[in-house]
């Protein structure tokens, strides 16, 4: 049994000087159109209490191209500009649905430089990609082939802060479901061990940011000593960005391998619903929590379980996994972070993380069986106490 999914294949490419100049100009125009459309929408609402739709923004874009001030917008492909307006429309849709905050303006220095092309904006022939307004095909270094017989429906070109160029091709792919299994696993996320499994296995936290912290600090010191606006400062900035890119790439690779293994080996995967946004408020642990990338771990598990026919169960954040005895069900009154092994009144001795993973697994299997949610009495929320994981982390 196979399932057709939308899958993005991201590869590096090396543009010529002419291609790099044209793409950089396109990135700037995309950012300008997005910001100008956002400004017009904001002004129309606050001054006239009027909403502007995508169709009206698209018509305004046509008028902008006819002005002497913005005539250069007609020199780049119109497809990425229209896609920028669609992205803005989606951002407002998420805002009105209360899934996101109000759309923000794109910064030249901080925002991701990218342009999205739909079918009318590129040509795909014999495995070679040619973008609109760029006569020569891109020199793509294929890290893996596209699915047989599949052609990209959307192409996104981007440049990261380290100066590397990437192209992401969105294709329809047939993903075969994995063979059914009777195994289930509970996962307790942590800092010393990135993940503790209900089987008793502890997966060490690689701490990539900590390993490269000295290299990063040296690069940042060199950057701080360069004159603003100088060519040497730009070279130093790129060096800092390359260190960050190295950390990010290694972390992503590790998480991909870990989540793929967990999904392949287990039919049901149970995790906790951690509020990372609140956990990083603990300033002594914020850097370590960010380096662990728990949110990315969860997002990878979500889409891989959906792809391969597995079940992902998320246990409520208020479930006292660390305090609950896996033998008798007694909930301990307190469980400070420095307590790694504890003994229940029933005589059972628990490794804190392994016990938490096992209780999470048991709760998740109960959810899977009855279709309900793991949400015990909310007395702790009424008394102002924090969720179990957050309470432990903020106790240090």
């Amino acid at each position: 049994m196979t399932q057709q999914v939308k899958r993005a294949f991201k590869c590096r490419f090396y543009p010529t000087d002419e291609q790099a100049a044209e793409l950089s100009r396109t990135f700037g125009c995309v950012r300008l159109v997005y910001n100008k459309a956002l400004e017009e929408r904001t002004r129309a609402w606050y001054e006239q209490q009027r909403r502007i739709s995508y169709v009206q923004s698209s018509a305004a874009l046509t008028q902008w191209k006819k002005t002497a001030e913005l005539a250069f917008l007609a020199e780049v492909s119109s497809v990425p500009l229209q896609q920028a307006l669609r992205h803005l429309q989606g951002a407002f849709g998420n805002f009105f649905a209360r899934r996101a905050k109000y759309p923000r303006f794109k910064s030249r220095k901080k925002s991701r430089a990218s342009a999205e092309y739909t079918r009318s904006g590129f040509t795909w022939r014999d495995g070679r990609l040619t973008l609109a307004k760029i006569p020569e095909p891109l020199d793509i270094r294929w890290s893996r082939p596209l699915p047989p017989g599949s052609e990209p429906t959307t192409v996104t070109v981007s440049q990261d802060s380290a100066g590397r160029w990437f192209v992401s091709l969105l294709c329809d792919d047939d993903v075969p479901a994995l063979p059914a299994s009777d195994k289930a696993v509970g996962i307790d996320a942590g800092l010393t061990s990135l993940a503790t499994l209900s089987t008793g296995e502890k997966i060490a936290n690689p701490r990539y940011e900590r390993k490269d912290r000295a290299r990063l600090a040296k690069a940042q010191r060199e950057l701080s000593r360069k004159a603003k606006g100088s060519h040497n400062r730009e070279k130093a900035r790129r060096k800092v960005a390359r260190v960050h890119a190295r950390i990010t790439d290694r972390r992503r690779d590790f998480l991909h391998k870990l989540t793929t293994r967990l999904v392949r080996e287990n039919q049901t995967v149970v995790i906790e619903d951690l509020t990372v946004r609140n956990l990083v408020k603990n300033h002594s642990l914020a850097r370590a929590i960010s380096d662990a990338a728990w949110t990315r771990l969860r997002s990878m598990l979500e889409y891989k379980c959906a792809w391969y026919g597995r079940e992902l169960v998320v246990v409520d954040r208020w479930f006292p996994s660390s305090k609950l005895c896996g033998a008798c069900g007694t909930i301990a009154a307190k469980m400070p972070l420095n307590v790694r092994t504890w003994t229940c009144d029933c005589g059972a001795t628990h490794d804190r993380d392994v016990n938490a993973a096992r209780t999470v697994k048991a709760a998740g299997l109960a959810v899977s069986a009855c279709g309900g949610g793991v949400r015990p009495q909310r007395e702790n929320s009424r008394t102002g106490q924090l969720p179990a994981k957050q309470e432990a982390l903020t106790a240090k």
Side-chain angles (χ1 to χ4, degrees), residues 52-76:
I52 297 180
S53 65
Y54 161 76
V55 175
Q56 292 171 315
S57 296
S58 181
L61 174 59
T62 304
Q63 297 302 318
W64 296 341
K65 293 180 180 180
K66 296 179 181 179
T67 63
E69 181 184 2
L70 299 176
F72 61 87
L73 292 176
E75 299 176 2
V76 302

Side-chain angles (χ1 to χ4, degrees), residues 142-270:
W142 297 101
S143 56
R144 53 181 173 170
L146 298 185
S150 178
E151 293 189 0
T153 58
T154 304
V155 171
T156 302
V157 181
S158 61
Q159 184 184 27
D160 67 4
S161 57
R164 302 180 301 177
W165 295 83
F166 294 95
V167 57
S168 179
L169 301 97
L170 187 65
C171 305
D172 293 322
D173 190 16
D174 293 326
V175 178
L178 294 173
S181 172
D182 58 353
K183 294 183 178 180
V185 66
I187 303 174
D188 177 69
L191 296 179
T192 303
S193 299
L194 178 66
T196 302
L197 308 185
S198 54
T199 59
E201 178 185 358
K202 293 188 177 183
I203 300 169
N205 186 357
R207 301 180 185 270
Y208 292 117
E209 188 273 338
R210 175 180 288 186
K211 290 179 180 179
D212 281 352
R213 190 171 296 177
R215 180 183 302 183
L216 179 61
K218 181 181 178 181
Q220 289 173 332
R221 282 197 303 270
E222 294 176 355
L223 173 63
S224 67
R225 294 166 183 162
K226 300 298 186 290
K228 292 186 178 180
S230 66
H231 182 64
N232 284 336
R233 184 176 179 87
E234 176 59 22
K235 289 168 58 178
R237 187 201 64 79
R238 288 284 180 91
K239 188 174 182 179
V240 173
R242 284 195 294 270
V243 178
H244 280 295
R246 166 185 162 89
I247 295 170
T248 302
D249 292 344
R250 296 172 71 195
R251 181 190 296 129
R252 184 192 306 113
D253 179 71
F254 176 82
L255 291 178
H256 269 301
K257 292 175 180 176
L258 172 61
T259 53
T260 299
R261 173 198 149 195
L262 293 174
V263 170
R264 288 186 182 277
E265 295 178 352
N266 302 278
Q267 182 67 34
T268 304
V269 180
V270 187

